[in-house]
Amino acid sequence: MNKPEKPPLDDVAGPCARHQTTQVMVGNIAVGGSAPIVVQSMTNTDTADIEGTIAQVAALARAGSELVRITVDREEAAAAVPHIRDGLRKHGITTPLIGDFHYIGHKLLADYPACAEALDKYRINPGNVGFKNKRDTQFADIIEIANKNNKPVRIGANWGSLDQELLTKLMDENALLASPKDVRAVTREAMVQSALLSAARAQELGMPKNKMILSAKVSAVQDLIAVYQTLAERSDYAIHLGLTEAGMGSKGIVASSAALGILLQQGIGDTVRISLTPEPGGDRTLEVQVAQELLQTMGFRTFVPLVAACPGCGRTTSTTFQELARSIQDFIRDEMPNWKTRYPGVESLNVAIMGCIVNGPGESKHADIGISLPGTGETPAAPVFVDGKKFRTLRGPNISTEFQAMVIDYIDQRYGSGSKVPAGPASAAE
């Protein structure tokens, strides 16, 4: 039998077709269906601290979080929610707020109707919404309140707080099989069933499918991939992706990117959160930045201009190109909240900052605007390329300042007036 020919590269490059799900409106943000994949995050402030929570939600929103979840764990937190919503609105921030409920969510939503009204979505964990006979009634109470207030819910199963009765039932059934599955496989099945059975129950209680988002979070990459693949195979509910307890620093970033990157490539996922443990006193907005960069580098969305920079080698013993890359990247992120309204389309800008003559000119030509800095022993000149053509050559101690000014000028001319920056003669300013 002849081996089938390999498909051409064009047929295999790029993500799979998007898994079709039912679209859900969370406030003014569409999740699922044909909507772009949505970035969300969660505060780590005490929600009862109204001003502190407003400040962090505002920071996350400015960083690009399109949904923000807040903890509602006790009466003081529930009472604070409408004041947080109102405070954000006074600052012009309309980012939808999600209430994270565990154990007593049914009571808090019933006792604090202003909280129930102020939130744009409720997050329910079927593993701890209630226990034994109370589970169904307390879950039903939350769904009833959500229906009354016309709010969507996220039904989020979690490996660390899985419905133990369901898990025990599946383990018992598995033990009777001629070839029992391993414990992790049964636990993954329990995760999927927990989410789907809860969603089915919510529909029985009158909640339409376009008011539900499902998630099934675990902390191990391979388990997460398997769980979400199964969840997508069995349903068309909108899906929230996230690796729970991902960890701190590079570990959390790598683990989340590996797991979510595979699922997104397979067309699975309508909204994502990167659950990073922040460094002590660290910036909570890092998880938003990582989520955006994951989606942008995979080609799903554009959020901020891309800055390409070489990694450096023995030819680049000077730190000039590293310092310039960092200052340009930081400058772009700081300015993006203002640029979004002033310069429509600026998020598609590509900037290249290269460190020597080997790849520098070539990479710079592929960018919208790029600079090739001199490497060790090279002529102290830095050619700048605009729209693929050499624009001018910078020399002297102020190369970094001059190039940053050129980037600003390019943005203003290209995205401010709608006209491209002219490339100009190759000898200009040499």
Side-chain angles (χ1 to χ4, degrees):
M1 182 180 293
N2 294 329
K3 292 183 179 180
E5 292 182 3
K6 291 183 179 180
L9 183 60
D10 288 347
D11 290 343
V12 295
C16 298
R18 184 92 172 267
H19 171 58
Q20 288 302 300
T21 59
T22 304
Q23 189 169 101
V24 179
M25 292 302 300
V26 182
N28 59 349
I29 300 295
V31 177
S34 59
I37 299 166
V38 173
V39 172
Q40 63 178 278
S41 57
M42 185 175 184
T43 60
N44 61 356
T45 57
D46 179 357
T47 306
D49 175 6
I50 295 172
E51 294 304 318
T53 302
I54 288 173
Q56 192 171 85
V57 172
L60 291 166
R62 283 194 296 268
S65 185
E66 294 157 304
L67 303 173
V68 178
R69 183 158 44 113
I70 60 177
T71 299
V72 187
D73 58 343
R74 64 194 197 281
E75 292 184 352
E76 292 83 357
V81 168
H83 300 291
I84 293 168
R85 187 271 314 271
D86 293 344
L88 289 166
R89 298 297 184 270
K90 288 178 182 177
H91 289 90
I93 297 170
T94 59
T95 304
L97 292 177
I98 302 164
D100 193 61
F101 294 99
H102 298 276
Y103 304 110
I104 59 171
H106 63 292
K107 186 175 188 305
L108 293 175
L109 286 168
D111 292 348
Y112 292 86
C115 169
E117 184 276 328
L119 292 168
D120 294 284
K121 186 177 77 173
Y122 312 152
R123 190 270 180 151
I124 313 170
N125 184 339
N128 58 32
V129 71
F131 301 99
K132 296 188 180 297
N133 295 333
K134 292 182 178 180
R135 178 181 290 109
D136 286 344
T137 57
Q138 293 177 182
F139 179 82
D141 289 344
I142 296 177
I143 297 300
E144 182 181 348
I145 294 169
N147 286 337
K148 178 182 176 182
N149 286 277
N150 196 30
K151 306 291 184 179
V153 300
R154 169 158 73 93
I155 297 174
N158 194 292
W159 190 276
S161 52
L162 188 54
D163 181 340
Q164 291 302 301
E165 288 186 38
L166 175 61
L167 180 59
T168 298
K169 173 179 175 291
L170 293 180
M171 288 291 186
D172 290 343
E173 291 174 353
N174 182 64
L176 299 175
L177 297 176
S179 300
K181 299 177 182 177
D182 64 59
V183 171
R184 296 190 78 85
V186 178
T187 307
R188 292 195 296 266
E189 176 64 21
M191 289 280 293
V192 174
Q193 287 199 25
S194 178
L196 292 177
L197 289 170
S198 296
R201 176 58 178 152
Q203 284 190 258
E204 290 174 2
L205 295 166
M207 175 162 282
K209 189 174 285 188
N210 67 357
K211 289 292 184 181
M212 282 184 278
I213 298 172
L214 302 189
S215 67
K217 291 188 174 184
V218 304
S219 57
V221 169
Q222 296 296 344
D223 288 321
L224 187 89
I225 294 168
V227 165
Y228 274 104
Q229 287 172 335
T230 304
L231 189 62
E233 287 171 1
R234 297 185 190 175
S235 76
D236 63 351
Y237 293 101
I239 290 179
H240 167 89
L241 291 185
L243 184 76
T244 191
E245 288 100 33
M248 182 181 288
S250 61
K251 187 272 178 185
I253 293 172
V254 170
S256 293
S257 299
L260 272 59
I262 290 171
L263 291 166
L264 291 167
Q265 186 74 5
Q266 293 175 353
I268 299 170
D270 300 300
T271 176
V272 301
R273 183 198 171 199
I274 304 294
S275 301
L276 296 180
T277 303
E279 300 284 347
D283 189 348
R284 189 68 167 180
T285 62
L286 177 61
E287 65 178 48
V288 179
Q289 181 179 334
V290 173
Q292 289 182 329
E293 289 179 355
L294 174 63
L295 293 174
Q296 185 155 342
T297 55
M298 292 189 71
F300 292 109
R301 292 190 63 182
T302 54
F303 296 97
V304 296
L306 287 176
V307 179
C310 67
C313 65
R315 301 177 65 95
T316 57
T317 53
S318 167
T319 60
T320 302
F321 85 93
Q322 297 154 308
E323 292 164 356
L324 179 56
R326 182 175 61 187
S327 67
I328 290 290
Q329 192 158 283
D330 290 347
F331 173 72
I332 285 172
R333 280 209 167 268
D334 290 343
E335 291 297 320
M336 272 308 292
N338 298 323
W339 287 355
K340 282 180 182 178
T341 54
R342 290 180 59 195
Y343 303 120
V346 71
E347 61 273 9
S348 64
L349 176 72
N350 286 302
V351 181
I353 300 170
M354 308 305 293
C356 77
I357 201 171
V358 175
N359 293 319
E363 290 289 346
S364 297
K365 288 177 183 178
H366 288 298
D368 295 310
I369 179 168
I371 186 169
S372 179
L373 294 161
T376 305
E378 295 176 6
T379 302
V384 175
F385 296 83
V386 172
D387 294 333
K389 298 179 180 180
K390 189 175 179 183
F391 184 54
R392 66 182 55 172
T393 299
L394 303 179
R395 293 183 172 87
N398 298 317
I399 288 177
S400 296
T401 303
E402 291 177 30
F403 181 68
Q404 181 165 313
M406 291 177 70
V407 172
I408 297 170
D409 188 52
Y410 181 91
I411 290 170
D412 188 57
Q413 292 189 52
R414 176 173 177 178
Y415 299 100
S417 65
S419 60
K420 281 265 189 179
V421 177
S427 60
E430 294 206 2

